[in-house]
Structures are given as C-alpha cells and as structure tokens.
Amino acid sequence: MTYFQRLIVNTLTFISLSVIFPNMIYVRSIWMAIIAAFVLSILNMLVKPVLTILSLPFTLLTFGLFSFIVNAAILKMTSSFVGEMNFGFSSFGAAILMAVIMSVVNMIVSERNLDKYKE
C-alpha cells in the first residue's frame, strides 16, 4: 500500500470511528482527520521505532499485545499535536480500542491490496 493510500485509509478510519463511537473519539472536520492522519504517519515514522525498541521486553512478555499500547500512545501523541479540540479521545482506554480497530482495518486493507497483485 502506498503512502497516499495509507493516509486515505487512516483518514476514513478516523471519520468512521468518530461516527460509530461519538463518545470515545472526536474529529472536528474532514480536514482535521487528514491532518491527524498525516501527523500519525510522521509519528509512526519517527517515534514509533524508538518506542517499539524501548518496549521490546514488555512486548515479548505479553506475546505482542503491548504493541497496541504503543499504538495507543502514538494516537494520543497525534491528538496532542493536532489539538484535543480538533482530534481527541475520551480516555487512554478509548485510544487502545481505536488502536486495535485501526490495526485490524489496516491489516484487512493491506491483505486486500496484496491479493490484487498476486494474480
């Protein structure tokens, strides 16, 4: 999946999750969702590798489940950079739930995209 496709998928995921879970996630507008997806991609590129290496013992101890905590932390950082009034979560638990859902959505879209090129 290309970078632009991943931005679109994350933007649409933010918007749809804010409609499905209005008490857990808040997105002010589609432009804020686009900005949040862009900031998330930058943080995934710069900060996530460092957090992943630092949390490697916990990730191994929990058989990989701690990676959802790292993803939730990245989402909360995205929220703080974009601004809580523009893009925010009600709690850290909501961010964990959104991280799990976003991981599943990205996995499904990536799988679907890979199947297209196998033929």
Side-chain angles (χ1 to χ4, degrees), residues 1 5-6 9-10 13 40 44 99-112:
M1 184 169 8
Q5 289 172 335
R6 190 166 301 274
V9 167
N10 285 337
T13 305
L40 179 67
N44 277 337
V100 170
I101 293 171
M102 286 189 69
S103 296
V104 169
V105 167
N106 281 321
M107 180 185 66
I108 290 170
V109 171
S110 295
E111 284 273 328
R112 179 76 179 144

Side-chain angles (χ1 to χ4, degrees), residues 6-18 25-41 75 78 82-83 86-88 102:
R6 190 166 301 274
L7 276 179
I8 291 172
V9 167
N10 285 337
T11 301
L12 293 175
T13 305
F14 287 148
I15 292 169
S16 53
L17 288 177
S18 69
I25 182 172
Y26 173 73
V27 179
R28 177 173 277 197
S29 66
I30 191 167
W31 297 110
M32 284 301 129
I34 292 170
I35 291 170
F38 179 71
V39 170
L40 179 67
S41 69
L75 283 172
T78 301
V82 173
N86 298 321
F87 175 77
M102 286 189 69

Side-chain angles (χ1 to χ4, degrees), residues 17-63:
L17 288 177
S18 69
V19 171
I20 295 170
F21 301 108
N23 294 333
M24 291 186 174
I25 182 172
Y26 173 73
V27 179
R28 177 173 277 197
S29 66
I30 191 167
W31 297 110
M32 284 301 129
I34 292 170
I35 291 170
F38 179 71
V39 170
L40 179 67
S41 69
I42 298 297
L43 288 175
N44 277 337
M45 189 172 39
L46 299 176
V47 177
K48 190 175 179 181
V50 174
L51 287 179
T52 303
I53 289 172
L54 291 176
S55 67
L56 189 62
F58 294 116
T59 305
L60 292 174
L61 195 62
T62 61
F63 300 109

Side-chain angles (χ1 to χ4, degrees), residues 75-119:
L75 283 172
K76 286 295 276 186
M77 277 190 241
T78 301
S79 175
S80 65
F81 282 128
V82 173
E84 292 282 334
M85 292 296 145
N86 298 321
F87 175 77
F89 301 97
S90 62
S91 65
F92 192 71
I96 292 172
L97 179 64
M98 297 307 144
V100 170
I101 293 171
M102 286 189 69
S103 296
V104 169
V105 167
N106 281 321
M107 180 185 66
I108 290 170
V109 171
S110 295
E111 284 273 328
R112 179 76 179 144
N113 210 10
L114 286 177
D115 289 342
K116 183 172 68 172
Y117 294 112
K118 285 183 181 178
E119 296 174 352

